[in-house]
Amino acid sequence: LFNTYPDCPFNSTQLNNVTFVYSLLLYRIESISVWKVPLFEWLPTDFGILFHAYLIIETRDTDSEFHYWSFEKNSKMLVMQQTPWGTKRNVVEGLYGKLRLQGKYWKPTMLVEE
C-alpha cells in the first residue's frame, strides 16, 4: 500500500487512492492550509502570480497522533503525500523525498489556513 522513499530526509510516503479513501475513515481533519513556492527559483520575485500552490492537510488518527498530507497538481499528475511519523515541515518543504526548493533565497509561504 505504501511507496516510501528511503533516501528522503523527511520520511515522506506516497499513498495510492484506495489507501487514502480508507484512511479518511480513520482520520479527522484538524486544519487545511494552502502554501506556495515560486515556479522559478532564479526569479527575484514571483510577481504575485508566478507560483505553484499546494494543500497541506493536518489530520488526527484514532490514537490522537497527527499526520500531515500534501495534495498538488503538477503538469502530469495529482500528487498525494503523507508523513505518518513526521512533522508538518516534511510535506511543506519536501516532495518526492527531496526538498522542494534547493536554493536558500526562497522558502515555502503559507497563503491561507482554515
Side-chain angles (χ1 to χ4, degrees):
L1 295 175
F2 293 96
N3 296 320
T4 59
Y5 302 99
D7 60 340
C8 173
F10 300 108
N11 292 325
S12 293
T13 303
Q14 189 174 12
L15 298 173
N16 63 33
N17 292 338
V18 175
T19 304
F20 176 70
V21 171
Y22 175 73
S23 297
L24 280 180
L25 300 174
L26 301 176
Y27 297 135
R28 188 175 111 210
I29 295 175
E30 296 289 323
S31 71
I32 299 174
S33 54
V34 180
W35 290 74
K36 74 172 186 171
V37 292
L39 285 179
F40 309 103
E41 286 190 67
W42 49 267
L43 285 175
T45 179
D46 62 10
F47 303 106
I49 57 171
L50 298 174
F51 60 85
H52 170 71
Y54 53 99
L55 294 175
I56 300 294
I57 299 177
E58 178 181 325
T59 61
R60 189 185 300 239
D61 65 18
T62 54
D63 296 326
S64 294
E65 296 289 328
F66 284 97
H67 298 260
Y68 300 93
W69 308 73
S70 74
F71 293 86
E72 55 198 287
K73 169 75 173 83
N74 62 26
S75 61
K76 297 179 183 173
M77 66 185 130
L78 177 65
V79 178
M80 298 182 289
Q81 296 186 114
Q82 180 201 26
T83 59
W85 303 282
T87 64
K88 190 173 189 175
R89 179 176 175 251
N90 297 4
V91 291
V92 169
E93 294 182 6
L95 180 63
Y96 300 124
K98 298 178 181 152
L99 289 173
R100 290 178 186 277
L101 301 172
Q102 301 302 319
K104 295 181 180 179
Y105 181 74
W106 289 102
K107 299 287 181 203
T109 306
M110 185 176 6
L111 295 174
V112 178
E113 183 170 32
E114 181 66 35

